[in-house]
Amino acid sequence: MTALWQQRRSDASLHRPGDLRTPWQRDRARVLHSAAFRRLQSKTQIMNVGENDFYRTRLTHSLEAAQIGASLINQLQQVSATSKTDYLPDWNLMETLCLAHDIGHPPFGHGGEAALHYKMLESGGFEGNGQTFRIVGKLEAYHPEHGMDLTRRTLLGLLKYPVLMPPLPAPAGPKPSGSLNQWKPPKALFHCDADLLDWVLAPLSDNDLALFQSVELLPQAPGQKSLYKSLDASLMELADDIAYGVHDLEDAVVTGTLSVSQWESHFETVTPELPVSLATLIEELGEQLFAREHHRRKDAIGALVNIFVTTVRLEEVLADADEPLIRYNATLPEAETYLLKSLKDVVFEHVINDPAIQQLRFRSQNMLLDLFSALHTDPLRLLPRNTQQRWRKAMEEQGQIGADRVLCDYVAGMTDDYAERMYRNLFVV
């Protein structure tokens, strides 16, 4: 099975005399040197790029997630049974997944994601993780057909949601009548990439495949929730969540977006639910977070990360599965899971939901709606020449749905700065 998971879709050997790198080292290099990865330096993490020179962008967030991912692997190798650690990804593969996990996110963060999803409702929808899968598997220019042409296991590790989009409602018009927040996209892949998904999951038995792609149907938007992910994807997602919950918290504290009174108010209801020792530690770290001395804040941030890294464990989540890569996941104990969710919640409530951030989000969402509408109306006039060629070919072979996907690829690939500049060129007198 190892050989199957190391396969690339092209099944071709590049002319690299003397290259002694492992497949995972080659995958990591392809991600690092890709245009999509470089664009993360000018894409919003939480606070808009350019508002401050301290806080994280998607690029620095991805680098920090990669470091945390490596720490998780190191911890599990030390504390888990040898029979389980045999299935862990090596550090190069772990870094590859963390570095690549956000390259499909559009400009302006999740606000931009909702705007693009709304514009694509009649053409298959849009979701950032689905776009990541599309970039690495089809769009990036390492191979004429297979994108970065990464190994099968790397692609499996990038599948946070290994299912296809459910049926989508029709849009109400060029712009939604209410808030775009109600158009949160389902966490899923695009139907136009089903062939790539089938290839990645080909080594799984019929029973394993059915288990792995299980979904929970939801009565309201987004309509469904996939239930499982691979071991590698669970590690990547945990590293991502820790980086978001802890390091983005640091941004909020340093920039004054989160005050000590807001922190204390939020955790008044959290600490009573934690074990006494953990609750006491969080109270101490809360004081350090807001201390004037910068080194005390950094020590608190490191201690918060340590709480989660040192309690990670391997858990059997699909006991009936034959394939170890989907049978096991990296998880946290109940108390640490609750604490991490609480950290993410405080960032969401007092940073993401801050009126100043939401005003910028509203503005950027409408910019993307207008940009997409303009490009859709007159693509052969407004698109760059190479994208025009892709648009023509898609229109001829797949019709409007395929052509719209090309437009979506183009807009989703923009950095915040590029989208702002194009909007000014088209609409600002």
Side-chain angles (χ1 to χ4, degrees):
M1 293 299 286
T2 300
L4 278 175
W5 290 115
Q6 290 183 358
Q7 278 184 344
R8 302 181 189 277
R9 200 174 184 199
S10 68
D11 201 25
S13 297
L14 294 177
H15 185 61
R16 298 285 191 274
D19 188 353
L20 300 179
R21 292 176 298 170
T22 67
W24 324 123
Q25 288 172 321
R26 291 175 62 190
D27 281 358
R28 180 178 178 273
R30 291 182 184 196
V31 170
L32 272 174
H33 293 287
S34 67
F37 181 72
R38 288 195 300 277
R39 291 190 183 106
L40 294 177
Q41 67 186 303
S42 188
K43 287 194 177 187
T44 293
Q45 171 62 11
I46 289 182
M47 302 178 181
N48 279 38
V49 173
E51 295 292 316
N52 189 292
D53 63 359
F54 172 83
Y55 53 67
R56 276 85 179 168
T57 64
R58 287 275 175 190
L59 179 64
T60 56
H61 162 76
S62 298
L63 292 170
E64 288 173 335
Q67 184 275 321
I68 293 171
S71 296
L72 292 171
I73 296 295
N74 181 65
Q75 180 72 18
L76 288 170
Q77 287 174 337
Q78 302 296 324
V79 302
S80 300
T82 304
S83 59
K84 293 182 180 179
T85 58
D86 289 344
Y87 308 127
L88 289 173
D90 85 346
W91 290 12
N92 291 289
L93 175 53
M94 190 71 256
E95 281 205 347
T96 301
L97 299 178
C98 293
L99 293 173
H101 81 280
D102 265 354
I103 62 175
H105 275 269
F108 311 120
H110 288 290
E113 181 183 46
L116 280 182
H117 178 60
Y118 183 80
K119 300 304 288 188
M120 288 293 290
L121 284 173
E122 294 182 303
S123 300
F126 178 82
E127 198 273 332
N129 298 284
Q131 189 69 10
T132 293
F133 189 65
R134 182 167 171 78
I135 288 171
V136 298
K138 291 190 174 181
L139 299 182
E140 192 67 38
Y142 281 81
H143 188 277
E145 297 174 349
H146 305 311
M148 295 185 193
D149 198 24
L150 303 178
T151 58
R152 183 183 263 117
R153 181 165 177 176
T154 298
L155 292 173
L156 179 72
L158 288 170
L159 287 176
K160 289 178 70 173
Y161 315 103
V163 296
L164 297 176
M165 279 278 179
L168 300 173
K175 288 189 176 182
S177 55
S179 171
L180 263 172
N181 291 337
Q182 65 183 308
W183 294 100
K184 184 179 180 180
K187 299 296 186 181
L189 306 178
F190 313 135
H191 283 268
C192 58
D193 299 322
D195 58 325
L196 179 58
L197 177 62
D198 290 343
W199 180 82
V200 173
L201 302 183
L204 300 182
S205 67
D206 290 344
N207 178 66
D208 281 9
L209 184 63
L211 288 171
F212 188 54
Q213 294 190 297
S214 300
V215 298
E216 176 187 356
L217 298 179
L218 305 175
Q220 71 285 335
Q224 74 176 29
K225 176 185 178 183
S226 65
L227 298 178
Y228 300 107
K229 56 182 63 66
S230 70
L231 168 61
D232 300 349
S234 72
L235 282 159
M236 175 265 286
E237 184 174 48
L238 183 54
D240 181 25
D241 284 349
I242 295 171
Y244 167 48
V246 178
H247 291 301
D248 291 342
L249 170 67
E250 182 183 14
D251 285 356
V253 171
V254 172
T255 58
T257 311
L258 177 67
S259 68
V260 64
S261 61
Q262 290 170 330
W263 168 270
E264 291 173 348
S265 175
H266 182 85
F267 274 88
E268 277 180 0
T269 58
V270 172
T271 50
E273 302 298 320
L274 299 174
V276 174
S277 58
L278 185 55
T280 302
L281 177 58
I282 292 303
E283 290 176 355
E284 294 173 357
L285 296 179
E287 294 179 7
Q288 284 185 237
L289 270 176
F290 294 91
R292 290 186 177 183
E293 301 88 351
H294 294 328
H295 70 276
R296 295 188 66 200
R297 183 190 71 244
K298 295 302 294 185
D299 183 57
I301 292 296
L304 285 171
V305 172
N306 183 69
I307 290 171
F308 305 115
V309 170
T310 56
T311 54
V312 67
R313 61 192 181 183
L314 289 178
E315 181 181 355
E316 194 174 52
V317 294
L318 272 176
D320 294 332
D322 296 321
E323 173 54 61
L325 292 183
I326 66 170
R327 188 162 69 240
Y328 297 103
N329 270 190
T331 64
L332 294 176
E334 184 177 350
E336 284 74 15
T337 298
Y338 176 65
L339 175 58
L340 182 54
K341 180 182 182 299
S342 300
L343 292 175
K344 292 164 64 179
D345 286 347
V346 76
V347 172
F348 181 83
E349 180 59 33
H350 296 292
V351 181
I352 296 175
N353 267 354
D354 181 81
I357 298 294
Q358 286 300 313
Q359 289 166 15
L360 289 171
R361 181 171 182 162
F362 179 84
R363 172 179 173 271
S364 60
Q365 285 178 321
N366 279 280
M367 284 171 49
L368 284 192
L369 291 173
D370 290 340
L371 270 179
F372 191 97
S373 294
L375 295 170
H376 186 272
T377 301
D378 208 347
L380 297 181
R381 183 182 179 194
L382 301 178
L383 289 172
R385 294 193 184 279
N386 62 333
T387 310
Q388 286 182 31
Q389 294 173 2
R390 286 189 61 223
W391 185 92
R392 286 180 189 271
K393 182 178 180 182
M395 180 64 84
E396 291 171 0
E397 297 177 355
Q398 305 161 39
Q400 190 62 57
I401 290 178
D404 284 351
R405 182 59 63 187
V406 171
L407 292 183
C408 187
D409 290 339
Y410 176 61
V411 177
M414 294 180 180
T415 63
D416 294 15
D417 293 339
Y418 187 91
E420 290 253 15
R421 195 159 55 247
M422 175 169 274
Y423 181 85
R424 289 197 303 269
N425 289 342
L426 293 179
F427 296 104
V428 178
V429 178

